[in-house]
Amino acid sequence: MTSYRSGCPIASALDLVGDRWSLVILRSMVMGATSYSELLSEQERIATNILAGRLRQLEQAGLIVRTRTRQGTVSGAYALTEKGAALIPTLQALARWGETYIPDRWTPPDRFYAARPEDFRSPAPAP
């Protein structure tokens, strides 16, 4: 359960995704990362314990869902939920702002800017 510091919608949204890693994880998922190892291999080099913790928090907040990749295996895949995919326009706006106002940043690929929330229909959670 997330505790919110105030009733402000901005402060409350930041309580869910305002840490250093959550939006980066969601960005990677928009770009196609679905497994723990794919998320771990991103250029930002998130530590394993931090990644595991953030994935748990994002799942508890209902922004992502973990599914089993094969029957009976421990490994799983992650997918954006409708609630998580609804952040795509926010991620895109933040990327555009960064490209415009922070010098020497790379430009996200066209497929990042082409992504739409409706493109991400998550499967049912793992049992």
Side-chain angles (χ1 to χ4, degrees):
M1 177 82 185
T2 301
S3 73
Y4 299 99
R5 61 187 131 158
S6 77
C8 171
I10 294 171
S12 297
L14 290 173
D15 288 337
L16 290 178
V17 296
D19 63 85
R20 183 177 190 162
W21 295 106
S22 293
L23 293 178
V24 171
I25 292 168
L26 295 176
R27 178 225 51 209
S28 297
M29 293 178 77
V30 169
M31 293 302 299
T34 60
S35 70
Y36 186 88
S37 61
E38 289 172 330
L39 293 165
L40 195 60
S41 69
E42 291 289 341
Q43 76 179 51
E44 289 83 10
R45 306 181 80 165
I46 186 170
T48 57
N49 61 323
I50 300 294
L51 177 58
R54 291 307 181 280
L55 289 171
R56 248 187 328 276
Q57 289 173 352
L58 292 170
E59 189 174 12
Q60 288 170 351
L63 299 174
I64 65 171
V65 63
R66 182 172 180 261
T67 59
R68 297 234 184 256
T69 54
R70 289 189 308 267
Q71 185 76 9
T73 64
V74 176
S75 65
Y78 295 91
L80 293 173
T81 62
E82 181 179 341
K83 184 177 175 180
L87 284 166
I88 290 172
T90 303
L91 293 170
Q92 293 165 333
L94 193 56
R96 283 188 182 98
W97 183 90
E99 283 183 80
T100 302
Y101 294 106
I102 304 172
D104 303 319
R105 301 300 91 196
W106 52 268
T107 300
D110 290 340
R111 65 188 169 107
F112 173 77
Y113 286 124
R116 299 288 172 254
E118 55 272 13
D119 298 337
F120 295 85
R121 302 279 185 231
S122 64

